Amino acid sequence: MTVDELNEELWAAMKASEYADKRPVFGLGSPNAKIALVGEAPGHEEEKLGEPFVGKAGKNLTEFLKAVGLTRDELYITNAVKLRPSKPSPKTGRALNRTPNAREIEFFNPYLHRELEIISAKYIVTLGNVPLRAVTGQDLKIGDCHGRLLSAGVYKNVFALYHPAAVIYNQSLKEVYLRDLEALCDEIRSV
C-alpha cells in the first residue's frame, strides 16, 4: 500500500464518520525520508492550505531545522490527528485551535501507525505530548522525554521534541529546542 492509497482510505472513512464535514491534512514529504516528524494536528493555516506545518509553528520549525542543517525536503511531515480540532471563540464565535480530544486521537491513530509503517523512516520525531503518546502508546510527558531517543514497540528510534509552537508561547524553550535538535542531528550522524 502507498501513502496515497492510505489517504484515500482515510478520506473515505472520514466521509462515513462524524468528521465528514472536515478537510483532512495529509502527511507530506519524501516517502524515503530518514526522518518522519509527527505533529499534533493541523491549525487554521494548515487546514486552509492543506499542508502540515505551514503556519507560525511551521515557520519556527523551518528556522530550527535550518539552524541544524536540515531541510523540509529531507523529511516526511505528518500529524497524529489529520483534521483541525477547533472550538468557537467565546468573544467572536470564530474557530480557535484546541488540543485534539481522545476520540479524535483514537480515530486517527491506526492511520498514523500505518502511515509510519509505509514511510518506514529510521527516526520518528514527535513534536509535543499528543504525538509522543500516539506513537509510543504510553502516557509520557514531553517535559520528561524531550531531547532523548526512546524505544516503543515497533519503533526503535523515537526522538521527542517540544512542539515548535511551544517556543512561540514560551521563549525560554528556544535554547532547549535548539539543543534537542542538535542532539537529534548528532544521533543521526552517529549511525
Side-chain angles (χ1 to χ4, degrees):
M1 175 174 272
T2 68
V3 172
D4 288 340
E5 291 168 335
L6 179 65
N7 290 344
E8 287 176 25
E9 185 180 313
L10 175 57
W11 183 245
M14 286 178 66
K15 287 179 181 176
S17 76
E18 64 188 288
Y19 308 120
D21 63 335
K22 295 283 193 173
R23 179 181 181 195
V25 176
F26 298 119
L28 187 66
S30 171
N32 303 311
K34 191 175 184 179
I35 303 169
L37 297 181
V38 182
E40 181 175 288
H44 172 71
E45 287 298 309
E46 289 78 12
E47 181 182 54
K48 188 169 93 177
L49 298 174
E51 292 184 22
F53 284 93
V54 292
K56 288 179 186 176
K59 288 181 180 135
N60 266 6
L61 179 64
T62 300
E63 286 177 26
F64 289 132
L65 292 172
K66 185 177 178 183
V68 295
L70 294 171
T71 66
R72 291 172 73 109
D73 296 339
E74 304 173 67
L75 312 170
Y76 183 82
I77 305 174
T78 193
N79 282 297
V81 171
K82 311 294 189 217
L83 57 80
R84 178 188 181 203
S86 62
K87 62 183 178 186
S89 165
K91 293 181 182 178
T92 65
R94 290 185 6 195
L96 299 174
N97 295 340
R98 65 166 171 75
T99 302
N101 62 39
R103 195 171 66 248
E104 292 160 340
I105 294 166
E106 185 179 319
F107 180 87
F108 288 99
N109 204 41
Y111 294 96
L112 171 65
H113 288 280
R114 288 172 62 202
E115 180 181 30
L116 293 174
E117 183 182 314
I118 292 165
I119 297 302
S120 69
K122 180 155 178 68
Y123 295 92
I124 298 169
V125 179
T126 59
L127 303 172
N129 283 319
V130 169
L132 176 63
R133 292 174 185 146
V135 168
T136 65
Q138 299 171 26
D139 188 23
L140 301 173
K141 293 184 175 124
I142 194 66
D144 298 331
C145 300
H146 72 91
R148 292 187 329 176
L149 197 61
L150 309 168
S151 182
V154 298
Y155 307 115
K156 301 302 177 208
N157 295 309
V158 177
F159 196 89
L161 288 175
Y162 281 101
H163 193 284
V167 177
I168 295 169
Y169 304 110
N170 182 355
Q171 284 292 309
S172 67
L173 287 177
K174 189 171 186 172
E175 294 290 323
V176 172
Y177 204 88
L178 283 170
R179 276 197 309 272
D180 289 352
L181 271 174
E182 287 169 2
L184 171 63
C185 288
D186 289 345
E187 177 65 40
I188 292 166
R189 288 182 195 114
S190 71
V191 174

